[in-house]
Amino acid sequence: MGKGIIGFIGVTGLVITLVAAGYVARGPLTGGTLPPRLHLIGAGAWFVVGLITFAWGMKKFTASADRPEPDRGRLRMYKR
């Protein structure tokens, strides 16, 4: 269940990033003007938040939870 939640967080970050980028690019791509400056700052902030959320979620989603087994022959045993 943990992987599903982490994957959902990563996908949510991707959606936030795409919506913020689409908001800024919508004006010039459709022949309109850019949004007001305050809206651009807000969209930029949401873009950064979305990128961070996406990167964190995908990093956690793709990380392996399996710990490597140590090579028992190379471990030193210390006795007191």
Side-chain angles (χ1 to χ4, degrees):
M1 182 170 159
K3 283 276 194 185
I5 293 171
I6 300 260
F8 177 72
I9 291 171
V11 170
T12 302
L14 178 65
V15 169
I16 291 171
T17 303
L18 291 175
V19 168
Y23 178 75
V24 173
R26 178 179 55 194
L29 290 177
T30 59
T33 61
L34 282 175
R37 180 176 290 169
L38 186 61
H39 293 186
L40 286 176
I41 293 170
W46 277 110
F47 185 81
V48 170
V49 167
L51 279 180
I52 291 170
T53 306
F54 175 64
W56 180 84
M58 288 300 111
K59 179 182 172 188
K60 293 286 187 178
F61 186 74
T62 59
S64 174
D66 299 332
R67 299 182 84 178
E69 285 293 321
D71 185 12
R72 298 285 178 196
R74 303 186 89 189
L75 289 177
R76 294 183 180 176
M77 300 297 258
Y78 293 102
K79 294 183 180 180
R80 293 186 181 197

